[in-house]
Every structure is written in structure tokens, then in C-alpha cells.
Amino acid sequence: MNYEHPKQLQAVVLDWAGTVVDFGSFAPTQIFVEAFAEFDVQVSIDEARGPMGMGKWDHIRSLCDQPQIAERYRKAFGRAPSDDDVTAIYNRFMPLQIEKIATHSALIPGALETIGALRKDGLKIGSCSGYPKVVMDKVVALAAQNGYAADHVVATDETPNGRPWPAQALANVIALGIDDVAACVKVDDTVPGILEGRRAGMWTVALVCSGNALGLTYEGYQALAADQLANERKRIHAMFEGSRPHYLIDTINELPAVIADINCRLARGEMPQAA
């Protein structure tokens, strides 16, 4: 038996907030701000967006490790934040997140039609998120009300390690019955999500404008002047550079053209690990 590389893609593994729902990825960021505020520690929206894509406990730990935030915590409590303190913030974050997730549950304009087109081309739709299952269940239910259901969903606490580890992406490969990781595309709006896909051996597509990196509503994105948008794209492309995405596009609606290009590359014998 000899190895034969895949000739075309079999599955797309999609992130949720900032990719398929919640243009600008506002649901998690605002709740981080509110959760820290309940401990009398100020965290800005921009600071909260920094580690986006990680599991939420790890996200809070990363925020607490930032010197300026650790100093604010020290002023409030007389000590640097410990893991127990992180857990306390996380335990306040969770009910706030569950309570307010519906506020930012709208599908990204055009996403439903785009995903439908991918399915017509024979692609399976996997998904994963930095949300834990208790939040993900609500996100999935709200998306279903709007017409979207992935073929498989993996929450961050359903695998031993969250992003940037590859476990969630690989759990989709197993559940969807994909025979080669090179036949998969990981689509995400965060650096940890792209690293997840890279480490899983998949093709990777970074979303520049619909998610955390730009951090605007759909209306705000549309209102940007051409030169402003060009500058933002340049900034965000630089932000993603170290994670080495194979493609960078504005929103999921540009994904079908990327899928077609990857299929051509696979047909030529190219593999994501070497690209």
C-alpha cells in the first residue's frame, strides 16, 4: 500500500465568532472587559482582543500575565493574579457570556449562502471555537435558528488542549471521516486559530476584516474609506505573518475562490505542510 496525496479538498473547519457569526467578534471581548471590571480591574477592548482565539481560561491567564494588567490587579489586591484568581474571573466571565451571547449571534452577511455553496461542492463543514461547550451549545442553537448548522462542532473544553494546539481541528478530521489532513482547510480570524490549523497539517485561511483583528461591526467595515481599509489590511496582514496562513481574505464570502485555488494546487501535487 502506497501513500497518495489527496487530489481535492474534503472538508472546511470553520471558527465561529468573527468567521460565521458575530461580525467583529464582539461577544467575547466585551464580556472580558465586564468580568475584569467586577474585580475592579480595568481592561480595555483592545487589550481584551489580544489573545483572542485561545480557550477562555487561557485567554484570561494570558491577560493577567500582561505586565500592565498584572500591575492593575496588584493595586487592587496587593498581589499578582494567581491561577486561582484567573479561575475566579473565569467563573464570573462564564455566566455573563451565556447571558449575553444572543446579542451578537447574527450570521455574518453572506455566510449562509457561501457555506451552502461549499456543501454543494461536496465539502463537509466542521467547526471549532475558543468557547467552552456550555457557551457553544447556546451559540449552535442560535445559529440553527438562523439557518446554519455545522456537520460537527468541537468546543475548547472537549479536547485535552485548546488553541493553538491542533486537537480541536484534528477532532473534526476524525468525526467527519476525513482520510488526510491535507484535504482540510482551517478558516479563522485569530492567530491561535491559524496556528491550530498549521499544526494540524491543514491549509489555512485567515480572515482579515470580519473578525477580531479589525474589530468593527459590518456597518463600520463597509463605511471605511478605501485608504483606511488598505491601511487596516496592511496592519492585519503583518499581525498574521508569523502564523503563516496560506491565504488571507476579507470575509468568508471570498472562500469559494480559495477552495478552487487549493484544489488546483492539490491536483499539481502541492501539500499544505510544504507551502
Side-chain angles (χ1 to χ4, degrees):
M1 183 177 291
N2 298 321
Y3 175 72
E4 293 186 10
H5 69 79
K7 299 298 192 296
Q8 64 180 21
L9 292 169
Q10 300 172 29
V12 177
V13 180
L14 300 171
D15 177 49
W16 283 80
T19 298
V20 177
V21 300
D22 187 11
F23 199 104
S25 194
F26 285 94
T29 49
Q30 182 58 41
I31 308 305
F32 283 121
V33 172
E34 294 180 19
F36 272 89
E38 294 203 8
F39 291 82
D40 295 321
V41 177
Q42 181 184 358
V43 172
S44 71
I45 285 284
D46 286 344
E47 288 171 331
R49 287 190 181 279
M52 195 60 69
M54 303 173 73
K56 302 315 177 193
W57 191 96
D58 292 330
H59 188 131
I60 294 169
R61 176 72 272 177
S62 180
L63 288 173
C64 287
D65 288 340
Q66 294 182 20
Q68 75 278 16
I69 296 175
E71 181 57 30
R72 292 172 209 156
Y73 198 95
R74 188 177 290 108
K75 286 182 178 179
F77 293 95
R79 66 179 188 278
S82 66
D83 282 356
D84 287 342
D85 296 320
V86 171
T87 298
I89 298 170
Y90 176 82
N91 287 340
R92 188 65 199 107
F93 170 88
M94 287 304 300
L96 286 170
Q97 184 73 92
I98 294 168
E99 176 188 343
K100 298 187 178 182
I101 196 73
T103 306
H104 302 286
S105 62
L107 292 174
I108 285 171
L112 192 61
E113 294 77 12
T114 295
I115 293 168
L118 298 178
R119 281 201 164 109
K120 285 182 180 178
D121 286 340
L123 291 168
K124 295 179 180 179
I125 307 298
S127 70
C128 54
S129 172
Y131 286 133
K133 189 175 188 303
V134 66
V135 177
M136 203 63 247
D137 286 346
K138 188 165 185 179
V139 173
V140 168
L142 289 165
Q145 292 175 16
N146 291 322
Y148 171 62
D151 297 323
H152 190 64
V153 181
V154 182
T156 191
D157 56 352
E158 293 184 301
T159 58
N161 303 100
R163 301 164 180 168
W165 292 68
Q168 288 178 269
L170 294 175
N172 275 279
V173 171
I174 295 167
L176 295 173
I178 307 305
D179 61 19
D180 196 313
V181 293
C184 295
V185 182
K186 176 66 204 301
V187 183
D188 207 289
D189 66 303
T190 68
V191 167
I194 295 302
L195 289 172
E196 170 196 19
R198 267 290 189 177
R199 291 173 176 181
M202 300 177 175
W203 299 93
T204 54
V205 180
L207 300 179
V208 174
C209 294
S210 65
N212 183 68
L214 185 61
L216 295 177
T217 64
Y218 180 68
E219 293 74 19
Y221 159 62
Q222 288 190 308
L224 282 178
D227 59 338
Q228 289 177 301
L229 184 56
N231 287 335
E232 286 296 288
R233 284 197 186 107
K234 183 177 180 180
R235 174 184 66 81
I236 295 166
H237 281 224
M239 183 193 80
F240 275 112
E241 186 175 2
S243 60
R244 296 179 56 215
H246 295 88
Y247 297 86
L248 297 103
I249 59 177
D250 282 2
T251 76
I252 192 175
N253 298 317
E254 297 172 43
L255 188 57
V258 170
I259 298 298
D261 190 66
I262 293 173
N263 280 332
C264 289
R265 295 173 72 174
L266 284 172
R268 293 195 299 266
E270 295 185 43
M271 295 285 276
Q273 299 91 334

